[in-house]
């Protein structure tokens, strides 16, 4: 079926939305030019009424090909960390601020490219609708792009990771690094330190969810 031409993703959101309906509708989205480059939209997935939602930047190469979020190396690192802090991956919802893969070629590889402010804004209606439908008690922003989109343009993950911040989007909002940044650590010692900090951040969320249940 030919893709509809739309200026705003909000035009595609059905009147009585549900996660399956908006996932299907997003396949027709042309609200920014990224639909031309990704293999497919990779929408959020997880428990429809999850207490905890993770928001990353965009899918990686593996996710783009698989059509599912957080299934590549960074997703596996997230899975291991969730297990370590006692959070069942089946009870969370994972998504990204941008639903198509933005990349640039490097040899035969497709290298991740940071989405622009305009692309993030164009895709925002999808994310806002996911949040409204899931109504998570806690949102964890993974990385600077997600944190700046959901918390504020001036927010610095390096300075305020692991801190709960006030938000209209969920009772609890916190940012930490994207797990892909841990995988890119320059050496084993740095990776171990970053892994511990990431685990500590997620443990804080796990404890808060338990305390305030
Ligand atoms: S990235 Fe988002 S706004 Fe852009 S075409 Fe894809 S779904 Fe639409």
């Amino acid at each position: 079926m030919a893709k509809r031409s739309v200026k705003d993703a909000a035009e595609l959101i059905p009147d009585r939305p549900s996660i399956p309906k908006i996932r299907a509708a997003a396949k027709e989205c042309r609200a920014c030019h990224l639909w031309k480059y990704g293999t497919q939209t990779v929408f959020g997935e997880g428990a429809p009424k999850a207490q905890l939602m993770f928001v990353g930047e965009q899918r990686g190469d593996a996710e783009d090909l698989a059509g599912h979020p957080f299934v590549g190396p960074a997703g596996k690192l997230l899975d291991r960390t969730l297990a370590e802090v006692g959070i069942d991956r089946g009870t969370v919802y994972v998504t990204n601020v941008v639903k198509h893969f933005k990349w640039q070629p490097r040899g035969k590889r497709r290298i991740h490219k940071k989405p622009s402010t305009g692309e993030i804004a164009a895709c925002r209606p999808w994310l806002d609708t996911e949040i409204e439908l899931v109504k998570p008690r806690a949102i964890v922003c993974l990385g600077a792009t997600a944190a700046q989109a959901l918390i504020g343009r001036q927010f610095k993950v390096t300075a305020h990771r692991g801190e709960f911040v006030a938000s209209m989007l969920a009772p609890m909002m916190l940012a930490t690094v994207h797990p892909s940044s841990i995988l890119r650590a320059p050496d084993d010692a740095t990776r171990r330190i970053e892994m511990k900090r990431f685990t500590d951040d997620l443990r804080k969320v796990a404890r808060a969810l338990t305390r305030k249940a």
Side-chain angles (χ1 to χ4, degrees):
M1 184 166 71
K3 286 179 163 48
R4 281 175 55 194
S5 176
V6 293
K7 291 194 175 77
D8 188 334
E11 293 176 30
L12 286 175
I13 293 171
D15 289 341
R16 303 179 73 176
S18 65
I19 294 291
K21 281 187 193 171
I22 60 172
R23 180 181 294 119
K27 292 179 180 168
E28 305 301 317
C29 186
R30 284 182 161 192
C32 78
H33 70 130
L34 293 182
W35 68 271
K36 297 177 194 167
Y37 308 110
T39 306
Q40 56 199 315
T41 49
V42 182
F43 216 74
E45 285 184 356
K49 295 293 175 192
Q51 291 198 53
L52 175 57
M53 176 184 279
F54 287 95
V55 182
E57 181 191 90
Q58 60 153 328
R59 67 285 306 105
D61 190 60
E63 287 84 1
D64 177 62
L65 294 172
H68 300 285
F70 288 94
V71 294
K76 289 185 171 53
L77 189 151
L78 177 63
D79 289 353
R80 286 197 301 277
T81 313
L82 287 174
E84 187 166 339
V85 303
I87 296 174
D88 178 356
R89 166 74 133 99
T91 67
V92 307
Y93 188 94
V94 292
T95 191
N96 287 291
V97 293
V98 168
K99 311 303 186 199
H100 271 103
F101 181 35
K102 185 176 185 182
W103 55 278
Q104 57 191 355
R106 188 176 299 163
K108 291 184 179 174
R109 297 177 61 207
R110 300 189 305 171
I111 303 298
H112 157 274
K113 193 171 179 189
K114 184 178 159 68
S116 69
T117 304
E119 291 153 357
I120 291 168
C123 216
R124 185 63 187 258
W126 298 119
L127 177 59
D128 282 341
T129 308
E130 286 179 292
I131 294 171
E132 283 168 24
L133 291 169
V134 176
K135 293 188 172 50
R137 290 177 57 220
I139 296 177
V140 173
C141 301
L142 297 172
T145 300
Q148 288 166 4
L150 294 189
I151 299 174
R153 296 279 298 274
Q154 307 306 320
F155 185 87
K156 291 199 183 316
V157 173
T158 45
H160 299 292
R161 66 177 295 169
E163 297 175 9
F164 286 109
V165 297
S167 173
M168 301 290 283
L169 299 173
M172 291 182 271
M173 171 77 77
L174 175 145
T176 183
V177 296
H178 195 284
S180 62
S181 71
I182 302 171
L183 297 172
R184 292 195 305 269
D187 53 62
D188 288 347
T190 308
R191 192 172 304 112
R192 273 195 297 276
I193 291 167
E194 286 304 314
M195 195 61 229
K196 182 180 180 313
R197 295 184 75 195
F198 184 63
T199 305
D200 288 346
D201 290 342
L202 295 201
R203 187 171 285 117
K204 191 171 183 176
V205 176
R207 285 180 179 151
L209 283 169
T210 306
R211 256 199 320 273
K212 295 180 183 176

